[in-house]
Amino acid sequence: MTIKILPARLANQIAAGEVVERPASVVKELVENSLDSGATRIDIDIEKGGAKLIRVRDNGKGIVKDELGLALSRHATSKIHSLDDLEAIMSLGFRGEALASISSVSRLTLTSRPATQEQAWAAHSEGRDMAVKLLPAAHPIGTSVEVLDLFFNTPARRKFLRTEKTEFAHIDELIKRIALSRFDVTINLRHNGKLIKQYRAAKNELQAEKRIAAVCGNQFVRSMLKIELEHQGLKLHGWITTPDGARQQSDLQYCYVNGRMMRDKLINHAIRQSYETSLRPDQFATYVLFIEIDPHQVDVNVHPAKHEVRFHQARLVHDFIYQALADALAQSHHIDRPEVNASAFHQVNDQGELEQTEQKQAEPPSVVMPDSSHRADEQAVPEQVYQAVERVPSYPGRVSEPQPKGEATQLQTSRSDWVESRPMPRSKTNDRYGQPSPSKQEAAVYQQLMQTPDVPPMQLPQATTTLSTPQDNQPVESLGKAICMASGQFVLMADKAGAHLVSLAKAEWLRVYGQLQVGEQGLKTQPLLVPLSLKIDAPQAAALEHNQPLLSQLGIEIKFRNQQTVMVMGVPAPLRQQNLQQLIPDLLSYAALNAEQSQLSANLSIGTLSKWLADQVVRVKNDYTLSEAIQIVAEVEMLWQGTLPLHDTQFVRPIDFSATIAAFNL
């Protein structure tokens, strides 16, 4: 056989076998190019699962006319220029193969206009001939890449594409991962002309949590812990969940190294080991974690699809991740503090391989607990109550307020303000609303902090407005008319009897709970356009079979496909917009757990299920407008038809202005 140099078009098609695995691979490469160009808005249009059309448009820097043709050549890139650049890569792409490989198996059009040009230009390339044509075009500042008829000239590869639904599901999952990696970028995803996902740019922590909820679900937000730790040039930040947020599949595990999506074995082993004492073998941890490291200490060019990396100090990275997550779980009282000097501790050797060694390390710093025998100052606030771990309020659907950043030992606010604004710590025990209740130790710490004075008693002004309880005033008989908002979460309302504050968080819950009230004929089922297939385990299957009549009354129609798979055919209107792929398994797990604890499944009633569903579905904001408040209260009053729980102090409280009025007479 004679040795020959491959023609450029054949080399590109061989390279396309690594770069272009399926339509989602094309979307990944194009979106990463948009992010590298500094885009703050990315619009993605997909048709026929990506087989017919993939269009990615951004508002980045753009490409000048003279470089458009060069951009479609192999190994042409603006991101590295020397070996030093390769050793410290911070961009998502760097090999310069993506556009050339994509254009070799499709009809590609690259249109771009930088800010320095008044005219946009389009480069057309089609199939194997790789001939590039430049034509003037109309386009705003930024770049658009249009990929038509993927694999049109390689039918052997086209036949390996899955169904339109499957291919788009891969694209949707990819966009979720990218949306979590860049909270500052707006991403819109359309399929066959219909807007499927819209991730708006997050400008603060509250909006970031909303994006997390949109991707990972409300249950993730309710049980998540925020962590932030830095040590020897390594920085780890993001969100993990308590064992209560564990799932039966590894579909909510997102990890990033220097902004790049990762499925690295070393990282996964460290995370799995930190949860090993708190999860069952059939459970998987859920997390969104970001690892930042000196680019000189990591090699990102070891995997064709860049899914794995190689750390120069693999053991340090592994132990850092393990210790950070294990300490966070220990500080939240969900597991015992890890013993770092355990005799059989998994380590990682210098080649990045897992090994089991006998090694002792220094134990982590001990946690200082407040002592009731003496007065604790601000610096004595226990670490597990206030540090890098940020707790999520236990009220259903509520999102925590953004917390000030700083060192863990520096308190930005006084302890009394902090204690009043923070929820009680939670453990695994559930209260009457299905939310975890505090353990005895946590409750003691919380109570002690509440009773410890921060400053000497001071004379309060005489003219104050106090909130009174129903014991001090006549019970509220009607809500009356909305006057104004208070703190973004409460609406001041008044009638002839007086004024009172209404909690919009509780009103939201009552609205959803009211929509889930079952009448004589049950809730009406709204069929799903495409039935949802779900895998379930044996306890979930048993719970479903036993509680089918209750679910049918709630409008939830589920059919068995086989022993391990069910089909969700329809749900009631309040659940139509929810993430059913997560909600339904959680509902069945809740029913199975209830049956296991009570040993009498009959204890699971319609009311219990309705309350649980309301806890999962409700979403509460921190910045309601008056018009939104009026709409919520009107809907609640219409649903409850004069049976609102006006005696519930979590919903409405009278306001006593007598002290303020008396101050005017002084």
Side-chain angles (χ1 to χ4, degrees), residues 291-328:
I291 302 169
E292 296 180 14
I293 187 173
D294 182 356
H296 293 90
Q297 298 296 318
V298 59
D299 185 2
V300 300
N301 194 26
V302 296
H303 191 280
K306 309 186 187 79
H307 291 322
E308 295 181 5
V309 294
R310 180 175 295 144
F311 297 101
H312 292 184
Q313 301 184 53
R315 178 175 299 177
L316 173 64
V317 174
H318 178 277
D319 293 353
F320 172 74
I321 297 172
Y322 164 75
Q323 196 66 36
L325 269 60
D327 280 349

Side-chain angles (χ1 to χ4, degrees), residues 181-361:
S181 69
R182 293 293 300 271
F183 289 93
D184 59 325
V185 178
T186 297
I187 302 177
N188 299 317
L189 175 63
R190 293 179 176 84
H191 188 215
N192 295 333
K194 181 180 179 181
L195 182 63
I196 304 298
K197 293 292 175 62
Q198 184 176 34
Y199 301 106
R200 292 188 175 90
K203 299 180 181 179
N204 52 48
E205 189 170 345
L206 176 61
Q207 294 175 351
E209 289 183 354
K210 288 182 179 179
R211 178 174 286 197
I212 294 173
V215 174
C216 302
N218 295 338
Q219 181 61 32
F220 182 95
V221 175
R222 290 191 187 95
S223 57
M224 73 183 183
L225 309 171
K226 182 178 180 181
I227 64 174
E228 187 169 1
L229 193 64
E230 190 169 359
H231 176 69
Q232 294 185 2
L234 277 171
K235 184 177 181 182
L236 177 68
H237 62 98
W239 298 266
I240 64 174
T241 62
T242 64
D244 299 330
R247 293 176 60 78
Q248 294 179 345
Q249 57 268 7
S250 57
D251 58 339
L252 290 182
Q253 296 182 342
Y254 301 100
C255 185
Y256 306 86
V257 176
N258 289 346
R260 187 187 302 277
M261 297 180 290
M262 277 304 133
R263 298 189 188 96
D264 189 76
K265 296 177 182 177
L266 172 76
I267 298 173
N268 290 342
H269 180 271
I271 297 173
R272 193 166 57 248
Q273 189 178 18
S274 65
Y275 276 93
E276 65 181 356
T277 61
S278 57
L279 296 182
R280 299 193 306 269
D282 61 337
Q283 288 184 314
F284 293 88
T286 56
Y287 51 82
V288 178
L289 290 175
F290 302 89
I291 302 169
E292 296 180 14
I293 187 173
D294 182 356
H296 293 90
Q297 298 296 318
V298 59
D299 185 2
V300 300
N301 194 26
V302 296
H303 191 280
K306 309 186 187 79
H307 291 322
E308 295 181 5
V309 294
R310 180 175 295 144
F311 297 101
H312 292 184
Q313 301 184 53
R315 178 175 299 177
L316 173 64
V317 174
H318 178 277
D319 293 353
F320 172 74
I321 297 172
Y322 164 75
Q323 196 66 36
L325 269 60
D327 280 349
L329 291 170
Q331 291 167 10
S332 65
H333 303 287
H334 282 84
I335 65 171
D336 296 331
R337 182 173 291 279
E339 295 291 340
V340 184
N341 58 346
S343 58
F345 185 77
H346 290 86
Q347 294 289 350
V348 183
N349 61 24
D350 294 333
Q351 284 73 37
E353 300 173 353
L354 298 177
E355 62 180 10
Q356 199 172 23
T357 61
E358 300 284 336
Q359 182 178 358
K360 290 187 178 182
Q361 297 182 3

Side-chain angles (χ1 to χ4, degrees), residues 9 18 110 122 152 168 495:
R9 65 186 183 185
E18 293 183 352
L110 173 62
F152 79 99
F168 181 75
D495 59 5

Side-chain angles (χ1 to χ4, degrees), residues 469-487:
T469 61
Q471 287 78 9
D472 302 324
N473 290 276
Q474 295 296 327
V476 178
E477 297 182 357
S478 64
L479 294 180
K481 181 180 179 182
I483 306 298
C484 65
M485 294 299 300
S487 300

Side-chain angles (χ1 to χ4, degrees), residues 510 636-637 639-647:
L510 289 171
V636 169
E637 289 181 324
L639 283 169
W640 288 81
Q641 294 292 330
T643 60
L644 276 173
L646 300 180
H647 60 281

Side-chain angles (χ1 to χ4, degrees), residues 369-598:
M369 295 293 294
D371 188 0
S372 59
S373 62
H374 66 277
R375 180 183 179 276
D377 56 17
E378 290 184 358
Q379 296 298 328
V381 176
E383 286 185 40
Q384 70 267 41
V385 181
Y386 183 81
Q387 202 181 20
V389 181
E390 294 292 340
R391 298 307 310 268
V392 178
S394 59
Y395 190 84
R398 181 170 178 178
V399 180
S400 61
E401 291 285 341
Q403 297 295 326
K405 296 182 179 180
E407 295 296 329
T409 57
Q410 296 179 354
L411 296 182
Q412 303 293 335
T413 59
S414 69
R415 189 175 68 247
S416 60
D417 293 339
W418 173 77
V419 170
E420 292 175 0
S421 64
R422 305 286 290 187
M424 291 231 356
R426 301 184 297 168
S427 69
K428 296 182 182 179
T429 308
N430 290 343
D431 63 13
R432 58 179 296 189
Y433 294 106
Q435 298 298 319
S437 304
S439 65
K440 293 181 179 179
Q441 183 181 6
E442 293 169 335
V445 172
Y446 182 87
Q447 189 67 23
Q448 184 171 352
L449 288 175
M450 288 293 291
Q451 294 175 354
T452 303
D454 282 310
V455 294
M458 46 190 270
Q459 187 68 29
L460 294 176
Q462 293 183 357
T464 59
T465 301
T466 60
L467 288 179
S468 60
T469 61
Q471 287 78 9
D472 302 324
N473 290 276
Q474 295 296 327
V476 178
E477 297 182 357
S478 64
L479 294 180
K481 181 180 179 182
I483 306 298
C484 65
M485 294 299 300
S487 300
Q489 291 183 315
F490 305 93
V491 57
L492 176 64
M493 305 189 72
D495 59 5
K496 296 180 179 180
H500 35 266
L501 275 182
V502 175
S503 170
L504 294 176
K506 185 67 174 181
E508 287 267 37
W509 189 89
L510 289 171
R511 177 171 64 173
V512 176
Y513 182 56
Q515 292 171 344
L516 293 170
Q517 293 300 300
V518 177
E520 295 180 357
Q521 299 180 352
L523 294 180
K524 184 178 180 181
T525 300
Q526 294 190 357
L528 299 180
L529 183 62
V530 179
L532 178 63
S533 176
L534 295 174
K535 291 185 177 180
I536 60 175
D537 56 19
Q540 290 176 329
L544 173 59
E545 185 175 2
H546 188 87
N547 294 287
Q548 277 281 21
L550 294 181
L551 297 177
S552 298
Q553 291 184 54
L554 282 169
I556 302 175
E557 183 180 353
I558 305 177
K559 295 182 179 179
F560 279 97
R561 189 172 182 178
N562 52 51
Q563 293 182 349
Q564 297 181 344
T565 308
V566 296
M567 301 294 294
V568 182
M569 310 302 294
V571 293
L575 307 184
R576 190 63 187 267
Q577 302 300 323
Q578 301 303 310
N579 184 1
L580 299 178
Q581 194 168 1
Q582 178 178 344
L583 180 63
I584 298 301
D586 290 346
L587 173 61
L588 297 179
S589 298
Y590 173 74
L593 179 63
N594 182 276
E596 179 182 346
Q597 291 177 346
S598 65

